[in-house]
Amino acid sequence: MRFVEANGAKIPAVGLGTWELSGRTCARVVEQALRLGYRHIDTAQVYDNEREVGDGLRASGVRRDDVFVTTKVWTNHFAPHDLERSVKESLVRLRLPAVDLVLLHWPNPHVPLEETLGALAHAKRMGLTRHIGVSNFTVALIEQAVALSGEPLVCNQVEYHPYLDQTKVRAACDQHGMALVAYSPIAKGRIKADQTLAAIGRAHHKTPAQICLRWLVQQNVSAIPRTSRIERLSENIEIFDFELSDEEMGQIAALASPKGRLTDFGFAPKWD
Ligand code: 1BO
């Protein structure tokens, strides 16, 4: 497995996203993913599956120290007194003494960022997490967060796939030594019918999803595809035995369109 290094963290380049996985399916998929070689599992308080992620971790038999576990604090727990308590509750659900990474899941303009980041840094100093970071932060918010954080931020997790240009966010992350972690990296399956990805795939004997994930990791991005299908789990990590040319990287980047964002929630910040 390849890693993305960022401000002291070593994040496996491919992980399992668990957004929209729940119950026994979630536990079974996490267990299988770990058995197949995944070493990076991404969950969040708002996914309501931390308990099942913990079940899958334990059932896999993989040593805790060998897995990079991320969770995220939802915006209703951003007040300083609440953040630490909510992280502790996440740990109870996961049945872990600490996670590897805790992220602020989404910007919350109603709580001063400085206070939330202070509480997040405190959670790190207390040993509840090895690293801290943010998610769904715009370039302007990354700049603010870096300036305000008392501890290094190791990543910004955002939607990223060939149909969405994240050049500016990626550049801001690079500038501050942060990794970009890509959720919805295969564009919720839309890439399956893509002729450009299919043609590149034929040249490398790979599927459009594998081409897409390889395109991300070749940019030093960590991708967290989600699937509930066991056969897809293998497909999504079999991307380390080939390389895309500069020309192919460019052809894939050219697929981006202004309407490429798939997850435009009402509470999302204005993207720049
Ligand atoms: C509301 C969840 C978005 C991806 O983490």
Side-chain angles (χ1 to χ4, degrees), residues 171-188:
C173 287
D174 276 356
Q175 193 193 337
H176 296 293
M178 296 165 70
L180 190 151
V181 177
Y183 70 79
S184 300
I186 54 171
K188 294 186 174 261

Side-chain angles (χ1 to χ4, degrees), residues 19 46-47 72 74 105-106 157 183 265 267:
W19 180 24
V46 80
Y47 300 168
K72 312 183 198 79
W74 191 241
H105 202 149
W106 218 284
Q157 185 184 121
Y183 70 79
F265 300 103
F267 51 83

Side-chain angles (χ1 to χ4, degrees), residues 110-126:
H110 306 293
V111 184
L113 185 55
E114 186 172 4
E115 293 181 13
T116 308
L117 285 168
L120 189 63
H122 183 65
K124 177 183 167 183
R125 290 185 202 117
M126 286 182 67

Side-chain angles (χ1 to χ4, degrees), residues 138-141 168-169 261 270-272:
T138 59
V139 171
L141 282 167
K168 290 179 184 166
V169 172
R261 190 176 298 282
K270 284 235 173 303
W271 291 94
D272 44 17

